[in-house]
Amino acid sequence: MNKINRILTVLGGLFLVLFSWVTPVFAAAAKTPKFVPGNIAWVLASTALVLIMTPALGFYYGGMVRKKNVLNTISLSFITICTVSVVWILWDYSMAFGPDAFLGIIGNLKYLGLAAMGVNQHSRYDGTIPSFIYVMFQLMFAIITVALISGSLVERIKFSSWVVFTIIWVTIVYAPVAQSVWGIGGLFQKMGALDFAGGTVVHINSGVAGLAGALVLGKRKGYMKENIVQPNQLAYTILGGALLWFGWFGFNAGSALEASGLAASAFLVTNTATAAAAISWMLAEWIHSGKPTTLGMISGAVAGLVAITPASGFVNPLAAIVIGLVVGVLCYSMVVFVKPKLGYDDSLDAFNVHAIGGAWGALATGLFADPLINPAGRGLFYGNPHQVVIQLITILSVAGYSFVMSFIIFTLIDKFMGLRVSKEQEAMGLDITQHEESGYNL
Amino acid sequence: MNKINRILTVLGGLFLVLFSWVTPVFAAAAKTPKFVPGNIAWVLASTALVLIMTPALGFYYGGMVRKKNVLNTISLSFITICTVSVVWILWDYSMAFGPDAFLGIIGNLKYLGLAAMGVNQHSRYDGTIPSFIYVMFQLMFAIITVALISGSLVERIKFSSWVVFTIIWVTIVYAPVAQSVWGIGGLFQKMGALDFAGGTVVHINSGVAGLAGALVLGKRKGYMKENIVQPNQLAYTILGGALLWFGWFGFNAGSALEASGLAASAFLVTNTATAAAAISWMLAEWIHSGKPTTLGMISGAVAGLVAITPASGFVNPLAAIVIGLVVGVLCYSMVVFVKPKLGYDDSLDAFNVHAIGGAWGALATGLFADPLINPAGRGLFYGNPHQVVIQLITILSVAGYSFVMSFIIFTLIDKFMGLRVSKEQEAMGLDITQHEESGYNL
Amino acid sequence: MNKINRILTVLGGLFLVLFSWVTPVFAAAAKTPKFVPGNIAWVLASTALVLIMTPALGFYYGGMVRKKNVLNTISLSFITICTVSVVWILWDYSMAFGPDAFLGIIGNLKYLGLAAMGVNQHSRYDGTIPSFIYVMFQLMFAIITVALISGSLVERIKFSSWVVFTIIWVTIVYAPVAQSVWGIGGLFQKMGALDFAGGTVVHINSGVAGLAGALVLGKRKGYMKENIVQPNQLAYTILGGALLWFGWFGFNAGSALEASGLAASAFLVTNTATAAAAISWMLAEWIHSGKPTTLGMISGAVAGLVAITPASGFVNPLAAIVIGLVVGVLCYSMVVFVKPKLGYDDSLDAFNVHAIGGAWGALATGLFADPLINPAGRGLFYGNPHQVVIQLITILSVAGYSFVMSFIIFTLIDKFMGLRVSKEQEAMGLDITQHEESGYNL
Amino acid sequence: MKKIEAIIKPFKLDDVKEELNKIGIHGITVTEVKGFGRQKGHTELYRGAEYRVDFVPKTKLEIIASDEMIPSIIEVIEKSAKTGNIGDGKIFISSVEEAIRIRTGEKGESAI
Amino acid sequence: MKKIEAIIKPFKLDDVKEELNKIGIHGITVTEVKGFGRQKGHTELYRGAEYRVDFVPKTKLEIIASDEMIPSIIEVIEKSAKTGNIGDGKIFISSVEEAIRIRTGEKGESAI
Amino acid sequence: MKKIEAIIKPFKLDDVKEELNKIGIHGITVTEVKGFGRQKGHTELYRGAEYRVDFVPKTKLEIIASDEMIPSIIEVIEKSAKTGNIGDGKIFISSVEEAIRIRTGEKGESAI
Ligand SMILES: Nc1ncnc2c1ncn2[C@@H]1O[C@H](COP(=O)(O)OP(=O)(O)O)[C@@H](O)[C@H]1O
Ligand SMILES: Nc1ncnc2c1ncn2[C@@H]1O[C@H](COP(=O)(O)OP(=O)(O)O)[C@@H](O)[C@H]1O
Ligand SMILES: Nc1ncnc2c1ncn2[C@@H]1O[C@H](COP(=O)(O)OP(=O)(O)O)[C@@H](O)[C@H]1O
């Protein structure tokens, strides 16, 4: 017994040591899991990647406009980073991702100023990472969503009005849409809508707002009458597109919120759909207009990135190819056939690419979601036709809400401070008239 | 006894709980290890970093050509991302990295369309990361290898022929080379060839293919007769070079496939050799031509990145300095003395820098591999002269295979669809004639 | 008893197995902790992010100068990466971060050539990551500190003299400052100075050296007499600024040396202060000069990044907004009121933004450091007025040391090899005269 | 033969060219120039400092034409380049002694 | 003294300049211009929409020379700028009354 | 009416313009040109290969003015554009037959 006693004592002692170390793991596993440095590392890196997407968008857009508007176009994206970053901390994160306050469409104000958020608080959305990084990751989505809208408005919107717009729109359009699609207890979230990285929240939302803005603003002087298309430096557009592609890995694979097989899968389908869409747009243009343009390739790539976004955590590689091939032709057709016919001046095709590409992506998620990739999603082709219905409801609801609200916001801004620069300013260019700067001294 | 019994029961119960949690760890350690989020995070980030290298290459090349060819030059890199991305998923990954099918030179078709690959499958090449991310990481290497070739061909190759070339070459040249050098059971892999991140597979392979292409295409009009060198915007070249340097950390340090001391070491020697080579090229030019050019610095940096690539996981910091210093002078001499003498028109020196720099790097790996850095490699200076022989065999085999096959492919394409644009098109520039676009409207 | 015995035997056996696995963890925790792949992944990624900041700085600066100096301006940053990278490995890391050799102001030469550093050695500064990556991470800080100085000197400094300067300055100014503020046992480190990511070491240090250089060099020809301000391509400046913002996440959040809540917090306040400062500078200019310029926005963002740097691991989000709002107005005032009055030609405002912004940030750290964010720091507003005193002593000491030493170095270089290009060279531009290249052939 | 040099506002180029085409003028040489005149330039900002940029971007057309075409060319340019605002530009006429078409060696009016 | 203005294809500039050098012409002023003429421009694509770009990049040479040099200058330009294709360009000659070298104040033929 | 064409060093433009303003000349048209002359160009390097770039950036001023203004214009340009080094440039004078202000239709000297 002595021997047994001694052994037991030793064992017990060791056990205590061990237990005190092991317990929190279990406890945490039961409630909040421990922070996982690998996950934090990936989401931090992803957040930086998504940040660079907005200046990248500025260059993507900036290369396409006339040289007299290049700085203004880039700065519409740039200032959006600044305004939304501050607004997000002060109130908007709380409205978008705070505990639901009302019907699953708006968060409460618990996180106003982030004052109530501790540095080591586990995120409500993935307990293996801190709340602060989730706040930042989501901020980058909010920023680019707003910045995308500018693509429909460039070469004629007043800079000051744009600044005011960004603050209002991110508050009363972006926050409710984010909460209802992604928020815990969000309206469409509860319905089972699938949107891995923002097909509805980011792309449909912004593209439709862009269309509303283009309609309120009216067409640029000379649109469809003379050649007002003289891209000042298309290499900027390629640079921007390439950095968008780069950053989008953070956007989509980062949306897994962990460094896992799912993140890898999202990464893979993102790249695949993008490549397929670039080829598809290029071929469509080659056949239809006779030449494969560099702008066509890069536009197709962006369309592919848009379309795979909602699907990226749900579909397999072959579905990604299909999604990409379809969106390339689809957006090309929008730009070439639909836009001139309907006559709206969606200057750089924010609506044609983001709203339409995003809608196709959201729908395709309902078609192709493969439970072997992610058990959380099962689409029509895997036996769940209901998912398509949910997706359609979400698409239409988000598009409808965004269009109506954006139209109202643009109209009110127009009333109160004027939305559009004067005719002379438009002719002289927005760089000089809005900023007293010029893009080139070569 | 009651007390003992109770204690034992408690202990046993806890043990069971603990055991059920611990076991899989051991089991996994024995067979496939568990996913390590930190490793996944690093390889995901590295993959994104390597992706950006190809557009970066486009800008590196694009800044050096005449302004009438700037968009075309960039788009040769850009379209390569797209074609290779799709081909890779469909069949090429399987041929390059699938289980060996034949003599250690070609993979079987098990992973066609990646259909047989699960989202949480452990990579055969490093069990701590998912297969999907290994597929993506290796894809980025395949892309840039093909894109590098364009550096020998710009300002005269037909765009459509280039697109066709990328698909054929990545299939019948890249895949066997990758399998034989890196594949499990690959021919040179079994011989013990050391190529940490692609000195043979990427750089010799592409550089030699570039030379073959330059020979089949012939010289640009006016080459060595008039000044056809009017770099349109050298800052693009610097931008591209800087982004290459940035991305190359993913290329080399990512090739450790884990976030470890070895990755850190690869990171360190990569940076060191690059800096040394930039200085060395700059000094060579300063002494030989009288001025230190910015193009010289950036060219030297790229040469350094190339040379350290195969050695990056094997050599220590001081060896890195030597490798860098040598390659700077070596590639400068190729460009300045050898190229004009032999008269081939390697437009942007893909052969002179990548094949020659890559060969030096592969050889230097056989000289400097330090078992204290990586027990897997021991070079001549650490008592293993045999390694040099293996390295030479590999270098010559890869160079020979690539040259012959590439020459045949280029020749056949030339026969069937024409490889080169017409004289008028060359004079007007490839931007207008291949894409109906122009680089600048300033 | 038999049963008990058997159970105990089984338990004991399992325990041994388990113990042999668990022990090292505890042992490591006691002495050097184990490598944490997630931390390594984040610091590797951060190091790459900080690397890209220096070419980004080149573009930020390069866009602002006249077109005849664009390549030279970018290459001042680029060559700094190369020279400092080599010097760092050879001797400078050891002097900056080696074990203290003398009074807490200079490291000993233990790590000369890094020869004594093993590939799996745990860093003295954070045992969860390898030493090699710490060497690289800190290298990137040394590089950009030196490169920043060039902002005060462009358009007139001789390239060769700049190269010599970088080597001397990083040795006898940077190393002691780094050791005394960050080194284990460093002078100000022991005093309790707070500098999370380099307000004093990087920004005050470089900004003050820039002022010294501007004074030794004298003004550019025509300064304040004619309009010598014709930014050749402001989009470069925006691109550079955006990449600086992107890379700065590695700078600040990477300085946590781990993927943790603290890193996330540093990330968040970095972004917030930057956005606030961009808005603040823009509004100051809008009110004072009548227009919001794109250069103003991006300058404000850089000022914000500077100011939050020392504070990033200590302050909460609301303090970040205050720090940002103040620095935007502060640096704008320096540039607009103080510089013309005092008449020094700080060409691109390295002193006005980095020294002044850095000093404000270092002071603000002493005011706002919130122990709930980081128990290591408690500022005035949290009951510790003493911290302000420590911060002021550190700011003044670093500024004083840097100014005096830099002034001497610049003066000696001027004596021995001439610091400034000739009048004719200045008129023709430094691209042609220093590099025999020209920025544009459009 | 005379040479007409017209300095016009850049955005009027397309209109003017088209109207000239209508009266049978197919040969024009166009240069981007900077004009100093009554029309003021603009100011630019650089970090709070304001700079006057005096020049205004203008487009110069050069047309060599036979004497009898001159009045109608002038009329067309006057009409199509006019906005009524300061800075509309000028037309200058001078005489040209000879014109040669490089391709064919034709001389005189048949060369233009 | 006369002024020769020659509109040529840009890639011919080097040839023409060299040939002129050979006959002793060392002063030339060159301007990049856009030409409208018989030679058609090109089309450009922007997202599937096709735009005509009517102008063709041309290079304008201006040479002031003494009357006796004119014939040989014309001959040299005609030869060295000729490709035989449409768009080879034109040579225009007009008279110049005075020339002054700023550096020295020299006037007349010694100034050119 | 005469036309003065002055080829000057680009960095002298501001001075010349100001001095002309002082004597009442407010209308100038400026073109960026490349000059070949006695002043040599520079060499450029591209990967160790050296290329001569023969042309030198110059600025061309065109001023149409009444005959009586010509001497003072010449004087002003000569003074303000002079550095005394090779490459200071030239002034050429030729005659202009007519000038028209597009905005008002004014002709002759009142149009300039
Ligand atoms: N005397 C002149 N010589 C040469 N160019 C002139 C002259 N006067 C005017 N110009 C050109 O014509 C342009 C328009 O002239 P400006 O005085 O601004 O307005 P307006 O044409 O309405 O009188 C100027 O920008 C300049 O390029
Ligand atoms: N009447 C003209 N006045 C001014 N420039 C002209 C005239 N005719 C032709 N040019 C210039 O000469 C160029 C060549 O003329 P074009 O008609 O295309 O061919 P070609 O020289 O073979 O007749 C034109 O692009 C234009 O710049
Ligand atoms: N005969 C000429 N015809 C046209 N332009 C000329 C002529 N001679 C000189 N130029 C222009 O004048 C510029 C200056 O001439 P250059 O011979 O270099 O020096 P300088 O003016 O001191 O004699 C040249 O670059 C050229 O643009």
Side-chain angles (χ1 to χ4, degrees), chain A residues 116-187:
Chain A
M117 196 177 277
V119 69
N120 280 315
Q121 185 166 324
H122 294 250
S123 169
R124 293 169 68 224
Y125 289 85
D126 185 312
T128 68
I129 59 170
S131 223
F132 271 176
I133 193 59
Y134 187 73
V135 172
M136 279 294 104
F137 186 64
Q138 284 299 342
L139 161 62
M140 301 308 168
F141 284 65
I143 290 170
I144 195 162
T145 305
V146 182
L148 281 167
I149 301 171
S150 71
S152 303
L153 318 175
V154 295
E155 303 204 301
R156 61 204 188 286
I157 191 167
K158 257 175 71 181
F159 183 76
S160 56
S161 304
W162 170 257
V163 173
V164 171
F165 171 78
T166 61
I167 296 168
I168 299 175
W169 194 89
V170 84
T171 304
I172 70 184
V173 181
Y174 189 79
V177 171
Q179 173 78 353
S180 58
V181 177
W182 283 337
I184 293 173
L187 182 61

Side-chain angles (χ1 to χ4, degrees), chain E residues 2-4 25-30 61-66 99-104 106 109-112, chain F residues 6-9 33-40 54-59 84-92:
Chain E
K2 300 233 178 287
K3 177 200 224 180
I4 295 187
I25 298 297
H26 298 293
I28 313 176
T29 300
V30 172
L61 278 65
E62 286 172 279
I63 306 161
I64 280 69
S66 61
I100 300 152
R101 190 190 303 275
I102 292 172
R103 175 165 47 94
T104 58
E106 284 163 276
E109 303 215 342
S110 66
I112 55 182
Chain F
I7 321 285
I8 63 170
K9 293 191 164 164
V33 297
K34 310 188 257 183
F36 297 87
R38 298 189 190 180
Q39 189 191 353
K40 289 289 146 266
D54 287 319
F55 73 83
V56 184
K58 296 278 169 197
T59 296
N85 297 320
I86 283 187
D88 274 355
K90 309 274 157 91
I91 305 172
F92 303 119

Side-chain angles (χ1 to χ4, degrees), chain A residues 300-315:
Chain A
V302 171
L305 288 162
V306 168
I308 198 63
T309 294
S312 54
F314 300 109
V315 302

